[in-house]
Structure formats: structure tokens, C-alpha cells
Amino acid sequence: MLFFVGLGLGDAKDITVKGLEVVKKCKRVYLEAYTSILTVGKDALEEFYGREIILADRDMVETNSDEILSGAEEEDVAFLVVGDPFGATTHTDLVLRAKEKGLDYRVVHNASIMNACGCCGLQLYNFGETVSIVFWTDTWKPDSYYDKIKCNRDRNMHTLCLLDIKMKEQTIENLMKGRKIFEPPRFMTVKQASEQLLEIVENKRQEGDNSLAFTEDTVCVGLSRVGSDAQRIVSATLQEMTQIDLGEPLHSLIIPGEMHSLERDMLLQFAISDKTKNILSSICI
Amino acid sequence: MLFFVGLGLGDAKDITVKGLEVVKKCKRVYLEAYTSILTVGKDALEEFYGREIILADRDMVETNSDEILSGAEEEDVAFLVVGDPFGATTHTDLVLRAKEKGLDYRVVHNASIMNACGCCGLQLYNFGETVSIVFWTDTWKPDSYYDKIKCNRDRNMHTLCLLDIKMKEQTIENLMKGRKIFEPPRFMTVKQASEQLLEIVENKRQEGDNSLAFTEDTVCVGLSRVGSDAQRIVSATLQEMTQIDLGEPLHSLIIPGEMHSLERDMLLQFAISDKTKNILSSICI
């Protein structure tokens, strides 16, 4: 049997009791280690579970999954995923490969940023399509997520922006020379995401766009390390967000749409400045 | 301190290790018992936690929350919620009342149907607004969720339909006479929801609507008891859904929008009939 076990979002203790039982009884335990992170590393998980963990990078999961699935007809194998196994990153490809081999699988669900972001007070019902904001380079500045945010805002919906993670980057030189030397991991901050969003808005303005999806003064929500003791939630204008350091990863950003009074009142609790408070208070509800 | 603890979706063991620690140490433990249910009842939870639980009905949470919050300045109080505390039902009103009293609070997140529904293979990214389908009566047949589903489908987005729960209904006679006699709880099934949706479509057709959001032949996903061992997932046409018994509550229904190939391949795994398989296979991706 192949078990997909969600680890939740904080530390080792965010696994469910059911999930912990699975981890303890499985023959092999893999940790998907390339799309998200907890606030603790592999060592802390191994200590808490009392089990050895095998790190599974993208290569292993996407092109070498036979290793993970091997023997799972007779033995139990666990595949651990930060958040929920079918949350922000979905592992349906591994499910399908397991089914192809005639393997059974079970899922132990857990919190994902896709639902835990509701802790800011914005109702999950009122979220539209989720977008991913990727790191720009000097030559590649995709902005297709802007249109999705606009589409959500036009429908009065909130937008959860998942921020880019680069886990095993190679420099172009190392890539060309086939050297498996990797750069340190990078995690996009709310500050960086806000800067990119404002740059897109500025470009639209210069193109004469009169119906911008949002502006510097749009109140947004920045979240970091949701679900951990070190969690932070702030509401601030997009301009203010470019000045805020929300600390260690992971960060997420929400661009709210129309708010109900309870949603507005919750964002007031997290307001970073008088300016933000004034904007929120002046919203007609 | 007031702790909001998500219980997840299946049974007692779906609480997180962190959540269980909180429950064990809190002075009083309330269970929000009117918007969702686990596959086990209060007794099973009390036995597993080794703690007495106080059932909190809508009255207590919405109008008599002082009892819950009382003493939480010095003592720890836990408020347990099926799923995630800010998932399908959000408890921001209780947060705000706690803050008004100067109380601190913490959240222990867990899986919600809002993210766990990803187990069917449809990607959470591609979901639009979530809708609630309510029980019709002879005289009250609201259908505003149809427009929201249409709006999502027009944008190629999936729609999660949460199905109605009636926990403490009174007959009109008992209500008039002020008798606190309650009807047995009712939980809408996928079958019932599909019947209502098809009736709406039939009405639209008779009104001459030529751009229906969906038809009898639209392949949908029915889910029951997600996260429990007795979980069921089926993909079937909406017409077929009206003939399927997915067993005990809770049920949810998804109306997919445009599918990617992996999403389609996952739905094929859950297809109930050759007809559904043929429709899914013929989708151009």
C-alpha cells in the first residue's frame, strides 16, 4: 500500500495522529522535498517520528518513481508531503503511476496553505482562482497572473498568490557544463512579490490602462509561516508591503476582492498602519 | 488562551499531534456541533482524548459565546471544529469577540473539505468560487448557485458544491408553539443535489436558455466521507448521479470546468460507467 501523508504547515507535530501511525508502520518513508518546506528540517522529523526518512527530489518523484513504488504491493510505503498531498502541489501523477502498477493507495489529509490562509479572516468561499507568482529574471518577466487577479477582482473574489520556491537551481554555467552544483534555495518574500505586482501595475498605467486590477493603495494580506508558532499575518497596502520584512519562509500574499464586514473587521486586526486602517474603515459594506 | 483546533474530516485520529496536546491540556473543551460532523460522535472523541467535551450548538456560539470565552484570560480553552477552523465554516466572529475581550488565541489547522476535495484529482488551483446547495422546500427553491457555477464554467474553473446540513430543525408547529423539539438531522446527498441541479437546468431550458452551464451529460464528481476509511469518490454524469447512493454523510459534489490531462485521467479512475468513461475519453485536451 502507498500512503500519501500530509504533514500540515508548521513543524513535526502538525502531522495527524493517523498520519503518525502510518509513518511508524511503513517500511520506507519518503519526504517530498522540492515544492514546500516546514519550519523544521528532515532531522527534526526523523527524531520526532523515530524513523529514517528518504528525501525525494523532483527527479526521483517525476522520473524515477519506480524506486518509491517498488515493493509497495506487499509492503507499506509512505510518501510525505508538506501541507496536503493534493493541495498547492498535487501528486496525482504519482497516484496514476501507482494505479498503473495495480497498487492501492490511501491519503491522510492535512491542512494546506490553500485552506489555512483562511486564518486571516477572508472567507475561503470568496476566493477565485489561485495564482502563482514566479521569480523574474532580467530577461523573463511573466505577468499572466495579473489577468487572473483582475478577473477575480472583477468578480469581487479574493486571490491567493502562492510565491515561488527555487529548491535546486543551477547556474547557466553549471547547467551547460553538466555540473550537478546547486544554488542555495530561494523563497519569494511578500516584499518581492509586491514589488513585482507594482511594477506590472506601473507598466499597465504607462500603456494607458484605465481599469487597473489594483493599485499601490489596495489593502492586501501578507502571511508567513502559517500554522507555526512564528506565524505572521499583516494587512497593508501593496506599497507598504514592499517595505515589510515578514521573516523566514514560506510567504504568501492575498489580494482581497470585495469584503464582508466580518472579513474587513478581521483585516483591521492585522493592519500595519493608520493608513491601512483608514482605507479598511472607509470601505462601504 | 483560546485555541481553535481543527479536527480534520474522518475520525478521532485525524486530529494533529499538536491539536491533541492542546485538547489534553485545556481546562474546557467545546465541540462546534452544528455545521459539520465526523464519522464518529462525541463519545468516540471523548474516549480518544480522555477528556469531557461540551457540545456547542449555534445558539451557544453565536449568541452565548461568553460561556465559551469565560476565564480564557487565565485558563486555556479549546474550541474544536470539524475540518479547519477557517475552512468551509469560518469562526471569525468568535475570534473577534475574543479579541474584544483582550483574549489571545491560537489556531491549530487541519484538512478541510475545501482542500481535501483535491483527492479526486481536480487541481485546487483551478477551482472558482465555492457554492452551497440548500435543501429546497415546496415553496422555497433558491437557485442562485447556478449562476455561480455558470460563471466558473465560463472561466473553465471547477466548482465545489457544499451540500446542506440541517442539524436542529423545528417543525413550523413546534416553532410556533415555542416547543424546543427538534427534527432528526438531515444531510443533503449527492443524489439530492444532482436532482435539484437538473431541475434548474430543465427550467432554464424551458425558458429558452441556449447556453446552459451544464446538462444531464456533464461529468461530475461525487464525494462522501472524504478522509475516512469509508471514503467514496465517483465520477459520473449528472443524470447518473441522481441514481447513485454514496452512503452515509457528509457528501460533496464537484462540477468540473476545463480539465487538464492528469485531471481527466484521475476522473477516469473513478468513472462509474462506460458512458462516463467515453465522455471523459472524448474530451479534447
Side-chain angles (χ1 to χ4, degrees):
Chain A
M1 176 85 80
L2 178 64
F3 288 91
F4 291 84
V5 181
L7 299 186
L9 296 168
D11 57 33
K13 289 185 177 176
D14 285 302
I15 194 169
T16 65
V17 173
K18 193 177 280 173
L20 186 58
E21 285 182 359
V22 166
V23 168
K24 284 187 184 292
K25 79 171 183 186
C26 278
K27 189 86 176 177
R28 298 193 311 281
V29 180
Y30 294 90
L31 171 64
E32 191 267 72
Y34 58 96
T35 60
S36 191
I37 55 164
L38 292 172
T39 57
V40 296
K42 173 173 173 273
D43 294 349
L45 295 183
E46 287 185 326
E47 194 183 329
F48 184 71
Y49 302 154
R51 292 296 311 269
E52 189 199 343
I53 292 174
I54 306 158
L55 286 184
D57 61 13
R58 190 182 295 272
D59 257 8
M60 185 191 283
V61 177
E62 293 186 357
T63 62
N64 198 16
S65 60
D66 281 356
E67 181 189 327
I68 297 170
L69 302 177
S70 142
E73 304 86 358
E74 295 99 38
E75 302 165 348
D76 289 333
V77 175
F79 184 72
L80 311 185
V81 181
V82 173
D84 185 75
F86 300 96
T89 304
T90 169
H91 287 287
T92 46
D93 46 348
L94 194 56
V95 171
L96 289 168
R97 284 200 295 272
K99 295 291 282 184
E100 261 171 37
K101 287 176 177 282
L103 294 173
D104 256 349
Y105 73 96
R106 287 274 163 78
V107 180
V108 183
H109 288 287
N110 209 319
S112 158
I113 188 64
M114 305 289 279
N115 72 305
C117 67
C119 62
C120 73
L122 296 172
Q123 300 209 355
L124 296 184
Y125 286 100
N126 302 329
F127 277 74
E129 186 172 2
T130 300
V131 306
S132 294
I133 300 188
V134 295
F135 278 117
W136 280 351
T137 65
D138 289 343
T139 54
W140 191 63
K141 302 193 173 189
D143 64 0
S144 58
Y145 43 85
Y146 172 88
D147 293 333
K148 293 181 179 175
I149 298 170
K150 177 151 176 42
C151 201
N152 285 336
R153 294 262 296 176
D154 286 347
R155 288 179 63 202
N156 303 321
M157 311 292 291
H158 315 314
T159 309
L160 171 63
C161 306
L162 302 174
L163 308 187
D164 205 1
I165 292 175
K166 295 282 185 203
M167 290 300 272
K168 278 182 113 179
E169 275 183 299
Q170 287 171 281
T171 61
I172 290 176
E173 193 188 341
N174 284 329
L175 198 65
M176 301 280 275
K177 293 189 176 165
R179 292 191 296 220
K180 292 241 165 189
I181 300 171
F182 301 104
E183 301 304 295
R186 290 193 297 152
F187 305 94
M188 187 184 283
T189 63
V190 161
K191 180 173 157 49
Q192 291 168 319
S194 304
E195 285 163 357
Q196 288 192 190
L197 288 172
L198 283 186
E199 195 173 326
I200 296 171
V201 163
E202 196 44 50
N203 290 341
K204 300 272 174 199
R205 212 175 249 141
Q206 287 181 8
E207 291 162 10
D209 190 333
N210 288 322
S211 65
L212 295 169
F214 47 82
T215 70
E216 337 18 50
D217 288 336
T218 301
V219 172
C220 301
V221 183
L223 306 111
S224 62
R225 300 173 304 286
V226 169
S228 79
D229 289 342
Q231 159 182 307
R232 284 194 66 193
I233 307 173
V234 299
S235 61
T237 67
L238 202 49
Q239 184 68 56
E240 289 171 332
M241 284 291 181
T242 66
Q243 306 299 319
I244 296 171
D245 178 5
L246 289 179
E248 297 293 306
L250 298 177
H251 291 195
S252 309
L253 179 69
I254 299 173
I255 319 282
E258 194 173 78
M259 282 180 248
H260 299 285
S261 60
L262 278 178
E263 295 180 295
R264 192 265 312 269
D265 292 348
M266 279 290 284
L267 291 206
L268 273 169
Q269 304 285 334
F270 302 119
I272 202 100
S273 70
D274 287 340
K275 178 169 186 179
T276 293
K277 281 182 194 159
N278 289 338
I279 295 173
L280 284 169
S281 301
S282 69
I283 292 173
C284 290
I285 290 174
Chain B
M1 177 85 78
L2 178 64
F3 289 90
F4 291 84
V5 181
L7 300 186
L9 297 168
D11 58 32
K13 289 186 176 175
D14 284 302
I15 194 170
T16 65
V17 173
K18 193 177 280 174
L20 186 58
E21 285 182 359
V22 166
V23 168
K24 284 185 183 292
K25 80 172 183 185
C26 278
K27 188 87 177 177
R28 296 193 311 283
V29 180
Y30 294 89
L31 172 64
E32 190 267 73
Y34 59 95
T35 60
S36 192
I37 54 163
L38 293 172
T39 57
V40 296
K42 173 173 174 271
D43 294 348
L45 294 183
E46 286 185 326
E47 193 184 330
F48 184 70
Y49 303 154
R51 292 294 312 268
E52 190 200 343
I53 291 173
I54 306 158
L55 286 184
D57 62 12
R58 191 182 293 273
D59 257 9
M60 184 190 283
V61 176
E62 292 185 358
T63 62
N64 198 17
S65 61
D66 281 356
E67 181 189 327
I68 297 170
L69 302 176
S70 144
E73 305 85 359
E74 296 99 39
E75 302 165 347
D76 288 333
V77 175
F79 184 72
L80 311 186
V81 181
V82 174
D84 185 74
F86 299 96
T89 304
T90 170
H91 286 286
T92 47
D93 46 348
L94 194 56
V95 170
L96 289 168
R97 285 200 294 273
K99 294 292 282 183
E100 260 172 36
K101 288 176 176 282
L103 294 173
D104 256 349
Y105 73 97
R106 289 272 164 78
V107 180
V108 182
H109 289 287
N110 209 320
S112 159
I113 189 63
M114 305 289 279
N115 72 306
C117 68
C119 63
C120 73
L122 296 172
Q123 302 208 354
L124 297 183
Y125 286 101
N126 302 328
F127 278 74
E129 187 172 0
T130 301
V131 305
S132 294
I133 300 188
V134 294
F135 277 117
W136 280 352
T137 66
D138 289 342
T139 53
W140 191 64
K141 301 193 173 190
D143 64 0
S144 58
Y145 43 84
Y146 172 88
D147 293 334
K148 292 182 179 175
I149 298 170
K150 176 150 177 47
C151 202
N152 286 337
R153 293 261 298 177
D154 286 348
R155 288 179 64 203
N156 303 320
M157 311 293 290
H158 314 315
T159 309
L160 171 63
C161 306
L162 300 174
L163 307 188
D164 205 0
I165 292 175
K166 297 281 185 204
M167 291 300 273
K168 278 181 114 179
E169 275 182 299
Q170 287 170 282
T171 61
I172 290 176
E173 193 189 341
N174 284 328
L175 198 66
M176 302 279 276
K177 295 190 174 163
R179 292 191 294 222
K180 292 240 166 190
I181 300 172
F182 301 105
E183 300 304 296
R186 290 194 297 151
F187 306 95
M188 186 183 286
T189 63
V190 161
K191 180 173 156 52
Q192 291 168 318
S194 304
E195 284 163 358
Q196 288 192 191
L197 288 172
L198 283 186
E199 194 173 327
I200 296 171
V201 163
E202 197 44 48
N203 291 340
K204 300 272 174 199
R205 214 175 249 142
Q206 287 182 10
E207 290 163 10
D209 190 335
N210 288 321
S211 64
L212 296 169
F214 47 82
T215 71
E216 318 48 25
D217 289 335
T218 301
V219 172
C220 301
V221 183
L223 306 111
S224 61
R225 300 173 305 286
V226 168
S228 79
D229 289 344
Q231 158 182 308
R232 284 195 65 193
I233 308 174
V234 298
S235 62
T237 66
L238 202 50
Q239 184 68 57
E240 288 170 331
M241 284 292 182
T242 66
Q243 306 299 320
I244 296 172
D245 177 6
L246 289 179
E248 296 294 305
L250 297 177
H251 291 195
S252 309
L253 178 69
I254 301 174
I255 319 281
E258 194 173 79
M259 282 180 247
H260 300 284
S261 59
L262 277 178
E263 295 179 297
R264 192 264 314 266
D265 292 348
M266 279 289 285
L267 291 207
L268 273 169
Q269 304 285 334
F270 303 118
I272 202 100
S273 70
D274 287 340
K275 178 169 186 180
T276 293
K277 281 183 194 158
N278 289 337
I279 295 174
L280 284 169
S281 301
S282 68
I283 293 173
C284 290
I285 290 174

